[in-house]
Amino acid sequence: MKKITSLLILILISSMSFAQNEATKKMLAEIEGQWQLDDNGNVIYTRIVEVPEISTEEIYNRALNYFVYNYGSGKSVIQTQDKDLGRIVAKGLYNDVHIGISLITTYVDCWHIVRVDVKDGRARIILTLTEYEKKIVGADTPPSYSTFKVEDSYPINPKGVQKTVMGKAFYKSHIAAIASLDAIEKSIKEGNTSKDIEKDKW
């Protein structure tokens, strides 16, 4: 009886793993071609924002305000702000981009770097996914922590381990990256509060 029960559990786990792998492959297929690799193998996203008739200084200030509001505390910080060069660089963390729950629980965060270059009438945003921080808990043992490059992980590295967990982590990091690009673009085009508030006399 114990052998039959063990066999049924093994079949159930195998079926669940197969279903999860198929779901992960489907998620990754949805975003295929929406990111690039740079010369160093890093995952990058690039967006050009056209803002005709707006000066370099105003575009720079709008971009900087976005980072002041969103990268001014905790682990997300502004690293470079060079007004003369028209460049802002910030490093940030997408917390808990994925939580994989099975016999153990895996928490994955994703570090990223955002660079904005500005000139009259336009801005270029480059967002790079750099590293994952992973915490594994369960099995009555202390949590284990690890940090590793996105490029070394699945699906960028087809041989990467924990394909289901890391595939979903990459998919959700991608979604977070697109949301960041959208938010920065909106800030550059519209400001960071509202047009009415910014034009209000005081």
Side-chain angles (χ1 to χ4, degrees):
M1 185 67 180
K2 287 183 178 179
K3 288 183 179 180
I4 293 173
T5 303
S6 298
L7 182 60
L8 290 173
I9 291 172
L10 183 60
I11 291 170
L12 179 62
I13 291 172
S14 297
S15 298
M16 290 174 62
S17 296
F18 177 78
Q20 288 180 351
N21 286 338
E22 289 303 306
T24 303
K25 288 178 183 177
K26 186 176 179 180
M27 292 169 75
L28 294 173
E30 290 175 11
I31 63 171
E32 189 174 349
Q34 296 181 25
W35 46 271
Q36 299 173 289
L37 296 178
D38 67 12
D39 293 341
N40 297 313
N42 297 311
V43 175
I44 65 165
Y45 302 82
T46 305
R47 184 176 296 184
I48 304 297
V49 181
E50 301 286 351
V51 276
E53 300 179 5
I54 298 181
S55 68
T56 301
E57 182 177 6
E58 178 61 18
I59 297 170
Y60 178 88
N61 288 336
R62 290 182 182 186
L64 182 59
N65 283 341
Y66 170 83
F67 290 109
V68 169
Y69 285 127
N70 296 282
Y71 287 71
S73 62
K75 293 183 176 181
S76 297
V77 296
I78 299 170
Q79 294 187 312
T80 301
Q81 50 186 98
D82 190 325
K83 192 169 186 178
D84 293 333
L85 193 59
R87 177 173 297 163
I88 304 164
V89 179
K91 183 176 183 179
L93 185 68
Y94 297 134
N95 287 297
D96 292 337
V97 288
H98 182 63
I99 301 174
I101 301 173
S102 59
L103 297 176
I104 58 172
T105 301
T106 305
Y107 299 86
V108 184
D109 300 334
C110 185
W111 285 100
H112 62 279
I113 294 173
V114 186
R115 170 178 156 179
V116 179
D117 297 297
V118 305
K119 59 183 180 181
D120 283 350
R122 64 195 330 221
R124 180 181 64 184
I125 310 165
I126 302 173
L127 191 150
T128 307
L129 301 179
T130 56
E131 290 182 322
Y132 292 120
E133 281 189 359
K134 186 163 65 173
K135 179 176 75 171
I136 298 177
V137 298
D140 296 326
T141 59
S144 67
Y145 299 88
S146 57
T147 302
F148 44 95
K149 292 183 178 180
V150 172
E151 66 191 82
D152 295 333
S153 308
Y154 184 80
I156 309 306
N157 175 11
K159 296 180 180 178
V161 298
Q162 285 190 291
K163 287 181 168 55
T164 296
V165 169
M166 300 317 299
K168 289 180 178 179
F170 179 75
Y171 175 84
K172 293 175 183 178
S173 297
H174 167 85
I175 298 300
I178 297 299
S180 292
L181 292 173
D182 290 343
I184 298 168
E185 178 175 357
K186 186 175 187 294
S187 293
I188 290 171
K189 287 182 173 179
E190 301 177 13
N192 292 277
T193 51
S194 75
K195 291 180 180 179
D196 290 339
I197 292 173
E198 290 183 357
K199 288 180 179 178
D200 189 28
K201 294 180 180 179
W202 55 278

